[in-house]
Structure formats: structure tokens, C-alpha cells
Amino acid sequence: MNAASLTALVNRWRPETHTFHLRAGEMTLILQDVSMILGLPIQGEPLCMNTASDGWRGQMEDLIGMAPPAPEDPKERTPSGAAFSWIRTNFGELLPEGANEDSIKTYTRVYLWYMISRTLFADSGGKLAHWCWLKALTVLERRWSWGTAALAYLYRQLDEACRRTGSGGIGGCLLLLSVWSWDRLSVGRPRILTARPWPHYRHNLDREPTWAYLWDNVSEMTSDPNIMYRHYTEELDTLTAEQVDWEPYGTYYHIGAGMADLNPKLDRQRQRKITDWPVHHRGHVTAFQHCLEAVRNAGHVEIVPHDLAAFNNYLQWFHQSTRIELVKPAYDDQILDDPIEFDEVAQSQHDIYARRGRSTSISSELNFVRSEIQKTAEECEVVWDQSHRDEKPIGPMRNFIKNTARKMRRLANLLGCRDTEIAATSSSEEVQIPDDTILSQGIASQRKKQATRSAYQLKPRGNAPKRYTPDDYVNRGKKVVIEEDETPPRRSTLRKMRNDEPLSSEEEEEEEEQQEQQQQSSSKKRRKG
């Protein structure tokens, strides 16, 4: 199990709706996932029974022949169940040959009790097999709806884990949650290694592999869980609807996919006195049975095609109605209203964490930029609608464009551009630019006048240095000189020696004139001296 990815996913769970709240929308596990991943039956009798624990040790002895010893202190409160270590010690050895039918049923019952307690109905402690699951195995031929019970139990464990009301851990079938997350989300998804062939009972529909066998041989996560938890939280913050695999099983469909949530308002911590659950859940059990009967009599069901327009409207409402970002914001919402002081920005919690941590967080900056772009787009629409109503919309439009350009420049500076901000003066605001030609000619001059410079006046660079090209490498032994007919270039004696070429007649005359001028200047200097 990837504990970091599971923790990041559990933090998105909302007990009010029993769904994960992501930027892509609401997502949850349904009975279709239980049937495809685990292969458990989702039809049958609802697993609803009396959970009274009075005399549970005597009932356990009647079923399996023994029970854990009672504590020495009668006032000590012990859970109604057996530790996994006790089960392995007393039932871990194989039955001898020739065992009777009662012994075979006892060991089968204990094995099923041990298996479902560690996989489907594991508690947050992970050390105890509760008595109620052994009680459900009293009659082995009874067909319970184990898939519905496993999904409802996982819902309850997610409710307690996201609110931290339990022991600090999480129970339930985490294999179901992990495979469901890997099928749909790329966050925390391992790499599938070489697929292993299915070794059991080929060409038998009852023993074919489930969907979970696709993830049987995968690479394990070996990095620091604390660091990976932050990465997974940031990735879930930026996950969009287009990056989610909504149909990992193809067009498989089951009409009873929403029957797991029997009672969303039930809190087990406040309902400890309720033990006769068949009476308490009589209405839900009846509804469950009616739904199963409707599924059996429905026949072929037409799949409703996906409506993109309705989904977009839902996402727009969903983003405005719930919290979809768990990463702390990088900057204050009002940081773009005033000129940016980078010394103050460097003291923000976001940048301090980046300097002292081992990685940079892009999700908080991306969320900040996304919200600012959305607000700017809404402001542009409002100003555009207002400009059609005003008689002279030039002034308000110019002020809005100027403020928007200033905000966008500051936003770019926060992302590392560090562009020079243009200082607005009263005189520049009153200048009326008549047409586009004057505007295009005057922007450059206005920027030069209004641009604020730092205390260090940086001079512009000169001509760029000559870059080294492959031709220079090929001709490194001999400099190639390209001459034109009209204006032949001058070559000095040093270049003549380097190229090992004779000078032309015109170049010889020019060189003699230069030598005469040098001699005359040197003689004049001697006379003055």
C-alpha cells in the first residue's frame, strides 16, 4: 500500500456526501467497482444482524470449539473478538488426514473469519478479528451481499479517518481503494511490471481473475512518505477533469451501483446502544430488496450518453460550492494591488518553505495564477458590457487597460520575470492619443521617460560577441577572408603572415604610404622635442 497517496486521497473525502472532492468533480467508489475489482457478490441478503456482544465467548466456543480467555481483572474492558495472533496459534496448522466433517467446517469457518477480518473489514488497529463477522458465518450456505457490506464499511472508515475520530488510522478494504485510485487517477499510480499469467482454473467463469489482478505485479514506492504526501496533495490540487479516466472498465454498467449508502446520517459513535440492526434498518432493508428485484426484472438497460454541457455546468457550480484546494495559497489576494517589494515576498511562508525544503511547490502558485486570471477575465467582461452603455467609454477603458497591464506585469514578476514596471504620472494620464499611428509611435518614448530604474544604472550592451560556428572549427588552421570587388579590405602584414598570401599592388602602395606617414610623424616629434 502507498500510505502517502492514500492519506492524500482520504483528506479529500467529505462525509456529508460520501465522495472525494477534487477539481475534476465528485468521485466515489460504487458497487460496480466492488464487483469488478474484488469479485464479491453484490446481490443477496443484506448483511444486517444483531450485534449484541453479551455471552460472545460462549457462542464462539459453540461455533469453533474455543474462545480467547477472559481477562484477570473483571473490570477490564476487552473488545468482543480474537486477536489474529491467537487465531494463528490455535488454527494455523493443517488438519490431519481423515478429519471429520465438523472439524473441516470449523477450520473453514475460522479461515473465512480470519480472511475477511484482515481484508474486507479490517479495523484501524489491524490486530483484532471482531466477533460479529464470525457470527455471520454461522450458516456457511447463507448468501450475504458481501460486496455491499464491504463498501458500506469502507465508507464508514473513510468518514472516521477524514475527521480523525478513530485511532488515527484507517480500516476497511484498502486494496479496493488503492486499485480504484490507480484505475482512474495518475496520482500515486505505480508502474506495472511484467504481467504474470493467471495460474488458477482457466476457462472457468467462477475462477477467472478480477480487475485487481492487473495490478498484481507493480513497482513499490520507496521514497520518503512525508515528501511524497506533499507531492500527491499538490498533484490532486491541479488534477483536471480531462486527466481522469472515467471509464476504466469500458461500457460495463450496473443499475444497482448506488445502493451502498444505506444511512449517510448514522454516526456509530453516537449509536452504541443500538444492537438490533434488522429492526433499526427495516426500511432500508426493504428498499434494498425492492431494488434487487427491480434489477432482476429490468432486462436490458440503455446507457445514457455523456452530456458535456451538463457536466460543464455542474463543474462550474461545484467549484463555487465546495473546497477543492488543500494546498495553502502562495500569496495574499491583494498582493497585485500595490507595487511588489521582493524583500517582503521573500519572507512569505511559501518562499521560505521552498528555500528550506527539498523541492518547490508549483501547485500553490498555479492556483494563485488561475484565480487571478479568472478574476481578470470577469472584470474584462464587466468593463466591456459597461463600455457599450457609456457615451464616452475611452477614459474608463484606458484606465482599466492600464490597471490590468500593471496587474499582469506584477503577476509575471511573482513568477520570476522581474520586468520593469512603468510608473504612471498625472501628466501621462491626461494625454489624449488621437489614433493608432500616434499610439504606436509614442509608446516607446513614453516608456523610456516613465520607466523606473534601480539605483544602479545599467548601460545597454554593445555589439554581441562573435559566436563560434562549425565553419570556424573546420577552417581553424587558415582564416577564410571573403573579399568584395568594389571595396577590397585592407590586410596588414600580420594578417599576411598568418594567411601566408602575397599582397596585391594596391595593398603594397597603401602600406608604403602608411610607413611614410609614420616616419614623417616621428620626425616631427623629434623636432618638437
Side-chain angles (χ1 to χ4, degrees):
M1 299 297 176
N2 190 340
S5 63
L6 289 177
T7 305
L9 189 62
V10 168
N11 287 342
R12 309 278 173 162
W13 181 263
R14 295 299 297 268
E16 299 86 358
T17 58
H18 287 180
T19 56
F20 296 103
H21 283 203
L22 303 170
R23 186 175 297 277
E26 295 176 272
M27 302 180 65
T28 190
L29 297 91
I30 57 177
L31 290 179
Q32 173 190 359
D33 303 308
V34 177
S35 178
M36 295 295 293
I37 296 175
L38 300 180
L40 293 176
I42 56 178
Q43 297 185 9
E45 299 182 34
L47 190 59
C48 189
M49 56 188 175
N50 194 320
T51 58
S53 59
D54 297 337
W56 65 271
R57 284 187 175 85
Q59 299 180 42
M60 185 180 293
E61 290 180 357
D62 295 337
L63 285 176
I64 62 176
M66 63 180 67
E72 298 179 358
D73 187 2
K75 296 182 179 180
E76 182 181 354
R77 185 177 179 181
T78 57
S80 55
F84 292 134
S85 58
W86 181 85
I87 298 177
R88 289 193 299 267
T89 301
N90 295 277
F91 297 92
E93 297 180 0
L94 296 176
L95 278 174
E97 295 184 2
N100 55 18
E101 185 177 357
D102 293 337
S103 299
I104 295 176
K105 285 186 176 182
T106 299
Y107 270 73
T108 302
R109 187 176 288 109
V110 173
Y111 173 74
L112 293 176
W113 178 38
Y114 180 86
M115 183 180 63
I116 65 177
S117 298
R118 297 210 64 170
T119 57
L120 302 181
F121 307 107
D123 61 353
S124 57
K127 298 180 180 180
L128 187 72
H130 289 276
W131 150 250
C132 61
W133 309 122
L134 179 60
K135 189 176 181 179
L137 298 171
T138 303
V139 181
L140 294 177
E141 292 77 11
R142 193 164 186 175
R143 294 186 176 274
W144 297 109
S145 179
W146 290 104
T148 307
L151 184 59
Y153 187 82
L154 180 60
Y155 277 12
R156 191 178 71 184
Q157 292 294 325
L158 288 171
D159 291 347
E160 295 180 356
C162 72
R163 293 180 295 185
R164 303 295 193 272
T165 57
S167 60
I170 182 175
C173 187
L174 296 184
L175 173 65
L176 173 63
L177 181 60
S178 297
V179 175
W180 175 86
S181 174
W182 295 344
D183 284 335
R184 287 164 173 76
L185 310 177
S186 59
V187 179
R189 177 184 294 169
R191 180 170 56 91
I192 299 179
L193 304 179
T194 305
R196 300 173 182 175
W198 180 250
H200 308 291
Y201 301 99
R202 299 297 299 179
H203 308 294
N204 186 351
L205 295 179
D206 295 334
R207 298 305 299 271
E208 287 293 329
T210 61
W211 196 266
Y213 192 70
L214 298 175
W215 302 92
D216 177 63
N217 191 18
V218 298
S219 60
E220 297 181 0
M221 194 274 293
T222 58
S223 302
D224 187 358
N226 295 326
I227 297 177
M228 297 310 300
Y229 166 73
R230 290 194 292 267
H231 284 318
Y232 294 148
T233 303
E234 295 168 2
E235 291 178 3
L236 289 175
D237 257 10
T238 58
L239 188 70
T240 61
E242 293 76 18
Q243 299 170 351
V244 175
D245 188 1
W246 296 101
E247 295 181 357
Y249 317 126
T251 57
Y252 178 85
Y253 181 79
H254 195 280
I255 194 171
M259 299 186 298
D261 189 5
L262 297 180
N263 194 347
K265 298 182 180 180
L266 179 62
D267 191 347
R268 187 170 64 99
Q269 300 295 333
R270 301 179 181 177
Q271 306 290 341
R272 291 185 178 274
K273 296 181 179 180
I274 300 177
T275 56
D276 195 356
W277 294 103
V279 176
H280 187 77
H281 279 314
R282 184 182 294 111
H284 299 289
V285 172
T286 303
F288 181 81
Q289 293 174 347
H290 287 331
C291 187
L292 289 180
E293 189 67 25
V295 171
R296 297 188 187 99
N297 301 330
H300 179 71
V301 179
E302 295 183 1
I303 300 177
V304 179
H306 178 60
D307 191 348
L308 293 176
F311 183 67
N312 292 333
N313 294 335
Y314 156 75
L315 284 182
Q316 184 178 4
W317 165 84
F318 178 72
H319 290 175
Q320 297 174 356
S321 304
T322 186
R323 180 182 179 183
I324 56 178
E325 298 173 0
L326 297 187
V327 178
K328 295 182 179 180
Y331 307 108
D332 187 13
D333 295 340
Q334 309 297 330
I335 194 173
L336 301 180
D337 295 339
D338 299 325
I340 295 176
E341 298 292 340
F342 291 101
D343 293 338
E344 298 179 359
V345 174
Q347 302 305 321
S348 63
Q349 184 179 4
H350 169 71
D351 293 317
I352 290 176
Y353 178 78
R355 290 196 302 271
R356 298 178 180 177
R358 296 171 59 183
S359 62
T360 58
S361 172
I362 191 61
S363 61
S364 55
E365 295 179 351
L366 182 61
N367 294 339
F368 178 77
V369 174
R370 181 189 291 111
S371 60
E372 291 297 328
I373 292 177
Q374 187 175 10
K375 289 192 296 184
T376 303
E378 295 174 355
E379 293 175 357
C380 291
E381 293 177 356
V382 172
V383 173
W384 178 257
D385 295 337
Q386 187 66 28
S387 63
H388 293 286
R389 304 173 187 175
D390 298 339
E391 297 179 357
K392 297 180 179 179
I394 298 178
M397 285 285 290
R398 290 187 62 220
N399 292 331
F400 173 74
I401 293 174
K402 179 187 65 178
N403 295 331
T404 303
R406 185 185 296 113
K407 286 186 177 181
M408 293 298 101
R409 189 178 300 277
R410 292 171 182 173
L411 185 61
N413 288 341
L414 284 178
L415 300 180
C417 293
R418 297 297 181 97
D419 197 2
T420 305
E421 184 173 346
I422 300 176
T425 59
S426 59
S427 59
S428 62
E429 294 177 357
E430 296 175 358
V431 174
Q432 298 293 333
I433 302 177
D435 52 12
D436 296 339
T437 57
I438 299 179
L439 177 63
S440 60
Q441 296 175 0
I443 283 180
S445 60
Q446 288 183 7
R447 284 194 174 184
K448 291 181 180 179
K449 294 179 182 179
Q450 299 175 359
T452 58
R453 309 295 275 179
S454 64
Y456 300 95
Q457 297 293 335
L458 304 179
K459 296 182 180 179
R461 291 179 178 269
N463 296 329
K466 184 179 182 301
R467 296 185 178 275
Y468 193 78
T469 61
D471 295 336
D472 297 335
Y473 178 78
V474 174
N475 302 312
R476 63 186 183 278
K478 184 177 181 180
K479 185 70 175 179
V480 179
V481 180
I482 301 176
E483 298 183 359
E484 296 181 0
D485 297 337
E486 299 179 356
T487 57
R490 299 180 179 179
R491 291 183 293 180
S492 62
T493 306
L494 181 62
R495 294 178 64 185
K496 172 182 174 297
M497 294 170 61
R498 182 181 303 169
N499 294 328
D500 196 16
E501 295 179 358
L503 295 175
S504 61
S505 58
E506 296 179 355
E507 291 176 345
E508 291 178 354
E509 293 177 358
E510 292 179 357
E511 188 172 357
E512 291 177 357
E513 292 179 358
Q514 291 179 0
Q515 292 178 358
E516 292 178 358
Q517 292 177 359
Q518 291 178 358
Q519 292 177 0
Q520 291 177 2
S521 61
S522 59
S523 61
K524 289 180 180 181
K525 290 180 180 179
R526 286 196 298 271
R527 292 174 185 174
K528 290 181 179 180

